[in-house]
Amino acid sequence: MIVILNIKGLCGILDKDILIKRGQDLRSYMFLPDAFLVIKDGLIKSYGTMTEWESVKEEYSAYEPVQANGKYLMPGWCDSHTHLIYAASREEEFVDRINGLSYEDIAQRGGGILNSSKKLAAASEEDLFLSAMQRIDSMIAKGTTAIEIKSGYGLSLESELKMLRIIKRIKESSSLIIKSTFLGAHAVPEKFKNNKAGYVRHIIDDMIPAVAAEKLADYCDVFCERNYFSQQETEDILNAGAKYGLIPKVHANQMSRSGGVQAGVNCNAISVDHLEFVEDEEIAALKNSTTMPVVLPGAAFFLNLPLPPARKMIDAGLPLAVATDFNPGSSPSGDMNFMISLLCVQYKLNPEEAFNAATINAAYAMNVSHLTGSISVGKRADFFITKAISSPYIIPYSFNENVIESVYVKGKKVV
Ligand code: NIG
Ligand code: FE
């Protein structure tokens, strides 16, 4: 049993039955001032005010409490979109972009995803595993306690399985919630350069069955974009994956109105991610769906893309989640705190909306909002305690300043 006392503010309290927040509801982010929290068997057992503590404290007299004077306790961030398994950084492309080339220009010359794919094929499974674990450790230190990880730098049956087996090993060796996504349709590999239809068939006929046979993925994702995969190809791949129990996700509308949002909604995707090119039609499509729109402010920032209309989407009553898109090409950062700052500064979300986007809704985007993403009795004790700060608004306000002091995953202090 762990007892935490004198918490300046216990944040993100939510009824356990609420699995998603939409529209106006995103504004509420309940917190209890001057609070205690009790953890048992890795789960949240109870919480209340310090006044209430007085009447129950006898029960816990055997336990040495953790004191959190002046500090806030907040549910851990959930990062529902990462590509954190990669062999090497791509700073040379970063400089090419500074000098005028676009992300798409670089991809056309065989850079971008194909560059990472070549490097991944040459790297050992052990090195890829170790570097991924290092990235995860630095994400945990910044308050992230649940992570989705994609394949997609394999682009051949062998290399895609290699990536997914690494994710499986990460699942087995980490106490975090880890979810795995098959992203064979991330780009058309060199070998199928003039035969995209052939690659799509290979994904459907060979890759998906092989991934499913080894139970290597929870989700199937497609990069639905011009020069990548069309709306029709996206739907064909997602439907094929769904037959094997892989839940659809989409990289949608990052560079253009690609039909990715509609593909996701048509296939009951759990999320559609990116959304830089979204208009009323896409918002209407999302309106009566169970699909979570996810923005990736790190990628829009790093590639200098137009911003998704996040404010407009929430005002239209939609839910919204945020993720890092941690990858070497478009978002070399796994820092959810910075994403929250960008949401506030650039996307005009209030801090409460940004916190909900990074916790309960982000958990929904990886099907774990019944387990984590809020302070609720019975949920996993996945949270962080800040340094002594004046209010949680300091997180987006003091951007690039780490205000997180300790992190607990399933009730165990890991930082
Ligand atoms: O989410 N948009 C496609 N995929 C990644 C970028 C991957 C890369 O450039 O390596 C993204 O931004
Ligand atoms: Fe991505």
Side-chain angles (χ1 to χ4, degrees):
M1 201 113 70
I2 297 177
V3 174
I4 304 174
L5 299 182
N6 294 306
I7 304 162
K8 185 173 180 184
L10 178 64
C11 302
I13 296 170
L14 194 64
D15 186 325
K16 192 169 183 273
D17 298 331
I18 297 177
L19 303 178
I20 185 170
K21 284 197 176 193
R22 297 187 163 82
Q24 290 266 324
D25 289 346
L26 278 158
R27 293 253 178 170
S28 66
Y29 183 72
M30 191 180 144
F31 88 96
L32 205 56
D34 200 22
F36 75 90
L37 179 79
V38 178
I39 302 161
K40 192 181 175 214
D41 300 328
L43 305 179
I44 296 169
K45 181 175 184 284
S46 63
Y47 58 81
T49 62
M50 284 309 292
T51 313
E52 289 163 342
W53 173 250
E54 286 306 315
S55 55
V56 295
K57 68 179 185 191
E58 286 310 314
E59 254 184 83
Y60 303 103
S61 54
Y63 303 95
E64 181 67 35
V66 176
Q67 295 291 346
N69 301 63
K71 300 166 185 176
Y72 288 84
L73 188 153
M74 303 177 72
W77 310 131
C78 301
D79 194 344
S80 69
H81 184 141
T82 81
H83 310 247
L84 61 77
I85 298 178
Y86 55 86
S89 54
R90 301 203 322 246
E91 62 272 29
E92 60 294 339
E93 295 179 1
F94 169 65
V95 176
D96 287 342
R97 283 192 295 104
I98 293 170
N99 291 313
L101 290 182
S102 70
Y103 181 84
E104 287 168 295
D105 295 333
I106 292 167
Q108 299 278 317
R109 328 186 288 197
I113 295 165
L114 296 184
N115 179 3
S116 281
S117 176
K118 267 180 226 121
K119 288 175 175 157
L120 184 121
S124 78
E125 224 166 292
E126 188 62 15
D127 286 349
L128 289 167
F129 171 75
L130 292 174
S131 60
M133 287 304 279
Q134 262 174 18
R135 290 178 195 123
I136 290 172
D137 282 346
S138 70
M139 292 168 76
I140 298 171
K142 290 184 170 165
T144 298
T145 53
I147 305 176
E148 179 262 15
I149 310 174
K150 299 177 196 296
S151 68
Y153 292 131
L155 308 181
S156 68
L157 178 58
E158 183 196 6
S159 285
E160 284 293 310
L161 292 176
K162 168 171 151 182
M163 288 192 80
L164 292 168
R165 287 183 190 128
I166 295 168
I167 303 173
K168 187 174 179 197
R169 194 171 153 200
I170 294 171
K171 278 190 189 188
E172 288 161 0
S173 51
S174 173
S175 56
L176 263 60
I177 291 178
I178 302 284
K179 291 281 182 179
S180 171
T181 300
F182 168 62
L183 177 59
H186 198 193
V188 179
E190 212 54 59
K191 197 177 150 194
F192 286 89
K193 200 173 170 191
N194 300 310
N195 180 18
K196 184 163 56 148
Y199 186 56
V200 172
R201 283 257 57 91
H202 182 44
I203 291 173
I204 292 174
D205 294 343
D206 309 315
M207 290 185 167
I208 288 173
V211 168
E214 273 189 63
K215 293 195 174 32
L216 289 175
D218 303 296
Y219 306 105
C220 180
D221 194 347
V222 178
F223 188 14
C224 183
E225 194 53 70
R226 61 177 179 222
N227 300 325
Y228 292 85
F229 299 91
S230 67
Q231 179 178 344
Q232 187 60 55
E233 290 160 341
T234 300
E235 293 192 22
D236 291 347
I237 294 167
L238 295 180
N239 287 330
K243 288 206 185 97
Y244 287 86
L246 304 182
I247 298 166
K249 275 183 171 276
V250 188
H251 276 71
N253 302 45
Q254 184 183 17
M255 314 284 176
S256 66
R257 291 180 70 203
S258 61
V261 171
Q262 284 81 356
V265 171
N266 291 343
C267 297
N268 290 315
I270 187 73
S271 75
V272 287
D273 305 24
H274 279 293
L275 312 177
E276 280 77 1
F277 291 83
V278 154
E279 293 188 16
D280 292 349
E281 218 177 298
E282 284 83 7
I283 292 178
L286 284 163
K287 192 74 204 216
N288 295 309
S289 75
T290 52
T291 301
M292 175 65 72
V294 180
V295 292
L296 308 170
F301 165 76
F302 196 69
L303 298 184
N304 228 342
L305 297 172
L307 305 182
R311 182 72 269 153
K312 188 174 171 184
M313 289 162 70
I314 293 175
D315 292 345
L318 292 183
L320 192 88
V322 64
T324 63
D325 197 14
F326 195 177
N327 77 77
S330 68
S331 186
S333 167
D335 184 351
M336 285 291 284
N337 305 283
F338 182 53
M339 305 305 144
I340 289 165
S341 274
L342 291 173
L343 277 189
C344 294
V345 175
Q346 298 186 318
Y347 297 60
K348 302 293 174 221
L349 264 61
N350 285 285
E352 291 83 355
E353 294 174 312
F355 296 151
N356 281 315
T359 54
I360 189 69
N361 280 0
Y364 177 96
M366 48 194 290
N367 291 96
V368 294
S369 59
H370 58 299
L371 301 175
T372 193
S374 63
I375 299 299
S376 315
V377 171
K379 276 196 182 179
R380 285 168 56 111
D382 295 340
F383 59 83
F384 59 82
I385 300 176
T386 65
K387 297 174 183 165
I389 52 175
S390 48
S391 88
Y393 292 174
I394 289 293
I395 292 173
Y397 168 89
S398 294
F399 69 92
N400 213 16
E401 180 81 25
N402 190 12
V403 301
I404 293 172
E405 189 171 82
S406 55
V407 182
Y408 289 72
V409 176
K410 220 167 174 211
K412 260 187 91 172
K413 188 173 172 180
V414 293
V415 174

